[in-house]
Amino acid sequence: MTDLNQGVIGLPELADAHLALARDNEHGRSAHLFLHDGPLRQSVIALVGGAELEEHNAPPAASLHVLSGRVRLLSEPGDAELVSGQVMRIPQLRHGLMALDDSVIVLTSVTATPEPVVVNDTRRGPGKGNDDTPL
């Protein structure tokens, strides 16, 4: 029997610890990848007010969940301000992040997309369609 509690993470404690580390860091930030499962990644990122994550490319899919504080997602078409408890999908654009107050976020990202699955439909012969159709 597997103990499902083995993979349980205490986010409030993790958030508090990394906010304390961010306050002691010269760049005002601290991050920790706490879940890595295939292409899925979840990280806690703590930023003191005024600290920034410089502009960078978006992964194939990502979301931002503000655990505490207030942040601004910066991008070319416009900025989005989020407060504690809010979640948003990160657009497929270059973007940056600025903490307006001491803040902790959870970044959830998918770092790869699977290759298309090729289905060989043996019920149909050649030339009858749907042979080797990617899904």
Side-chain angles (χ1 to χ4, degrees):
M1 185 171 188
T2 302
D3 182 7
L4 293 179
N5 288 323
Q6 226 172 12
V8 174
I9 305 291
L11 274 178
E13 297 82 11
L14 193 59
D16 290 346
H18 281 277
L19 191 52
L21 290 170
R23 288 179 176 139
D24 288 338
N25 181 279
E26 68 178 295
H27 300 290
R29 56 188 184 221
S30 178
H32 173 68
L33 175 67
F34 66 86
L35 189 144
H36 180 186
D37 185 12
L40 177 66
R41 311 255 190 300
Q42 284 193 301
S43 299
V44 65
I45 302 172
L47 302 163
V48 298
E52 291 188 46
L53 298 178
E54 289 76 22
E55 187 176 275
H56 53 278
N57 292 324
S63 68
L64 179 72
H65 177 185
V66 181
L67 295 178
S68 65
R70 191 168 53 111
V71 299
R72 181 172 291 138
L73 185 74
L74 311 162
S75 68
E76 182 60 37
D79 299 344
E81 189 171 312
L82 289 92
V83 298
S84 181
Q86 292 184 318
V87 178
M88 78 172 285
R89 181 184 69 80
I90 296 176
Q92 291 293 301
L93 305 166
R94 286 187 62 77
H95 63 278
L97 186 72
M98 178 180 13
L100 303 174
D101 300 321
D102 287 1
S103 303
V104 180
I105 64 160
V106 170
L107 172 66
T108 301
S109 62
V110 176
T111 58
T113 54
E115 294 297 317
V117 175
V118 176
V119 175
N120 294 308
D121 190 342
T122 58
R123 295 172 296 168
R124 300 174 190 220
K128 295 186 180 174
N130 291 336
D131 293 334
D132 299 329
T133 305
L135 294 179

